[in-house]
Amino acid sequence: MGRIGIVVSDLVLSFMWTWAGVLVNILVHGVLGFSRKDTTGEIVRYLFSVISMFVFAFLQKLSKGGLYNPLTALAAGVTGGFSNFIFTVLVRIPVEVIGSILGVKHIIHVFPEIGKGPKLNVAIHHGALTEGILTFFIVMLSLGLARKIPGSFFMKTWIGSIAKLTLHVLGADLTGGCMNPAAVMGWAYARGEHITQEHLLVYWLGPIKATLLAVWFFNVVFKPLTEEEEKPKAKTD
């Protein structure tokens, strides 16, 4: 797929991702009637969240590289050469942010009573460290899965989904456990808080630095694949 197609896919997927979490909550707590304090309801919500991540993994595969998370795009851009990095930073990430903002605006238009997105419940630097640590581990895992089991869609998605869900739960009471600056930006923009120090440090600077650190650390610990190793990987993909 050409770059225009990739950009369109990023925009659409980012828009859809903001809707996905809202629809899961509506389904579990509104349609099925589970209380937010009900353990069974939380388990059901986590189950639907995993299903949602499988759907988006399939859509990413179908779009041949469409993304909805700037951190995933950044990690790929850093390892893809200078022109790819510039394209990612100047085009893909802004488009993903725009998609998220449009998604949240549409959500608020359809459901005016809906919540206001993730909330920081700790000090700014504590929050930035939390989002950074969560991001570091998920980026490391994603790079490792791409290296070790490049052709297994189900196994990669299953392991990645459970890992993301686990990290989200660990950080939910502190920062929301987001690990996705674009999605947070959508809600922050709707609240008029998208240029605050809290938002920029916790949900952008911390995760971006963690992503770059994770890519660097992974490349130091695990040597790059040779051309002979890349060929079978390309075939399985």
Side-chain angles (χ1 to χ4, degrees):
M1 179 178 290
R3 287 190 167 182
I4 293 178
I6 287 290
V7 170
V8 172
S9 297
D10 287 354
L11 181 69
V12 173
L13 288 178
S14 299
F15 180 93
M16 293 173 62
W17 180 252
T18 58
W19 264 101
V22 172
L23 292 178
V24 167
N25 281 324
I26 291 175
L27 176 62
V28 174
H29 302 299
V31 178
L32 299 180
F34 287 104
S35 168
R36 293 185 181 276
K37 297 182 179 179
D38 187 355
T39 303
T40 303
E42 286 299 288
I43 293 174
V44 172
R45 184 167 67 87
Y46 295 152
L47 175 62
F48 279 113
S49 295
V50 171
I51 293 174
S52 173
M53 284 187 268
F54 263 90
V55 171
F56 275 87
F58 175 75
L59 292 175
Q60 287 177 291
K61 188 177 181 68
L62 191 65
S63 64
K64 296 183 180 351
L67 298 171
Y68 55 87
N69 190 333
L71 302 178
T72 307
L74 180 62
V78 169
T79 57
F82 181 73
S83 63
N84 191 44
F85 173 75
I86 294 299
F87 175 67
T88 298
V89 172
L90 298 184
V91 181
R92 297 194 69 178
I93 291 178
V95 165
E96 289 163 15
V97 170
I98 291 170
S100 298
I101 291 174
L102 293 176
V104 172
K105 279 183 170 292
H106 193 235
I107 290 168
I108 293 174
H109 177 73
V110 177
F111 300 108
E113 73 284 358
I114 210 68
K116 296 184 178 180
K119 180 181 178 182
L120 180 65
N121 297 313
V122 294
I124 291 179
H125 291 91
H126 186 182
L129 180 62
T130 300
E131 282 290 316
I133 291 173
L134 297 178
T135 299
F136 178 85
F137 281 111
I138 200 60
V139 172
M140 284 289 293
L141 177 66
S142 298
L143 293 172
L145 290 175
R147 173 71 66 88
K148 297 299 182 182
I149 47 176
S152 178
F153 172 79
F154 178 82
M155 283 302 298
K156 279 198 300 185
T157 306
W158 173 251
I159 296 172
S161 298
I162 296 301
K164 289 176 185 176
L165 182 60
T166 302
L167 292 171
H168 166 72
V169 171
L170 290 174
D173 292 335
L174 303 176
T175 63
C178 305
M179 300 169 284
N180 185 335
V184 184
M185 180 73 161
W187 292 103
Y189 185 85
R191 299 192 304 264
E193 301 174 357
H194 55 291
I195 56 174
T196 62
Q197 183 185 39
E198 172 186 306
H199 173 71
L200 295 176
L201 286 179
V202 175
Y203 299 107
W204 280 97
L205 184 60
I208 286 175
K209 291 175 71 174
T211 299
L212 296 175
L213 179 61
V215 172
W216 173 81
F217 183 78
F218 187 86
N219 288 331
V220 168
V221 175
F222 304 99
K223 64 180 181 178
L225 294 176
T226 62
E227 290 185 6
E228 289 72 18
E229 293 171 320
E230 283 283 2
K231 290 178 181 177
K233 178 180 182 297
K235 290 179 181 179
T236 55
D237 284 343

